[in-house]
Amino acid sequence: MSAVIIAATLAVALACCVVALYLYQFHGDLADSSQDWANFGDYLGGTLGPLFAFLAFALGLHTINQSRQQSRRDELLKTIQGYEHDFELCVAKPVTCQAPWVWGNDFGAADKVQEVPLRTLLQSDGIDWEQHLPIVAQGLKFRVLPDGELIQDRDIWLRAHLAAEGIFRYLELYKEAGGDMSLVQYLTEKYEIARNRLLSSGHEAQLLGA
């Protein structure tokens, strides 16, 4: 139930109580004197006025708090979208992956493959990602990106890893701030497999480098 409905219900209940108390104390027929009606009006204004003012003040504070929370959620969502953008840029970049084990292809065809987009290793079930991702995480091969940037395979892996962790870190904050749970579930399902593969390959790369 919204705060406005609660406040309106409470206001009506208070008004009914105040009128009921007045009728109980001064029961009788409707007054014919304007002075009696004026006194009744003063009674209502003196009792209900402060109560309604307090309700309006409380409702105003609630509205301000809701506005701040929504602003906080919007900021978190904007940050999540930024990490999503970074992640998608990273996983579109090619990384070294010589002779991957690709389901449905003969080994001769697989031997011809020298590199694949990082996305393939993070999302495909038809490739031996457990073998190749740790190698990418330590890969020293340089490549020149279309914008002229010189980058190594391990840098691409690291940027994707940081972006994935950023997505999930801010998703948790967004959830705690009362964000849209359907959106949280959607983004979790969208990036969970890739994040888990990055985490797993990172641990494996540490073991290989030890």
Side-chain angles (χ1 to χ4, degrees):
M1 186 180 297
S2 69
V4 175
I5 296 177
I6 294 175
T9 303
L10 186 57
V12 172
L14 289 173
C16 291
C17 289
V18 169
V19 173
L21 286 173
Y22 185 88
L23 293 176
Y24 176 78
Q25 183 67 27
F26 305 104
H27 53 82
D29 297 331
L30 291 176
D32 296 327
S33 170
S34 60
Q35 183 61 42
D36 291 338
W37 282 103
N39 292 336
F40 179 66
D42 290 340
Y43 165 75
L44 291 180
T47 53
L48 292 179
L51 294 175
F52 286 170
F54 174 76
L55 286 177
F57 175 73
L59 185 59
L61 289 180
H62 176 76
T63 302
I64 293 174
N65 184 55
Q66 288 292 99
S67 178
R68 288 178 177 174
Q69 289 182 358
Q70 184 59 49
S71 178
R72 169 65 172 164
R73 288 192 290 268
D74 291 342
E75 291 177 0
L76 291 172
L77 191 56
K78 185 176 181 180
T79 302
I80 292 170
Q81 291 170 345
Y83 278 116
E84 279 191 277
H85 177 72
D86 293 343
F87 181 82
E88 295 299 333
L89 286 179
C90 288
V91 299
K93 292 179 172 62
V95 293
T96 303
C97 185
Q98 296 182 355
W101 181 23
V102 182
W103 289 101
N105 291 324
D106 59 66
F107 288 103
D111 288 340
K112 300 175 183 178
V113 179
Q114 297 298 314
E115 59 182 29
V116 295
L118 180 58
R119 184 191 311 277
T120 302
L121 292 172
L122 295 179
Q123 297 180 352
S124 175
D125 291 327
I127 194 168
D128 188 9
W129 65 270
E130 292 177 303
Q131 173 186 346
H132 294 286
L133 262 182
I135 297 175
V136 172
Q138 294 183 312
L140 300 178
K141 179 178 179 179
F142 282 96
R143 63 184 71 250
V144 180
L145 300 181
D147 60 1
E149 181 184 6
L150 189 64
I151 192 171
Q152 291 178 300
D153 284 348
R154 64 180 182 180
D155 295 327
I156 297 174
W157 179 93
L158 180 60
R159 291 181 186 182
H161 173 67
L162 293 176
E165 289 305 303
I167 290 172
F168 280 87
R169 181 169 64 253
Y170 280 89
L171 266 181
E172 187 64 29
L173 294 175
Y174 179 73
K175 182 169 64 174
E176 293 175 358
D180 183 358
M181 289 306 299
S182 62
L183 178 60
V184 172
Q185 182 178 358
Y186 167 75
L187 292 178
T188 299
E189 293 176 353
K190 181 178 180 181
Y191 294 107
E192 189 171 29
I193 292 177
R195 182 204 188 194
N196 289 340
R197 290 188 180 186
L198 286 165
L199 287 172
S200 176
S201 60
H203 295 320
E204 187 65 26
Q206 290 179 352
L207 293 176
L208 291 175

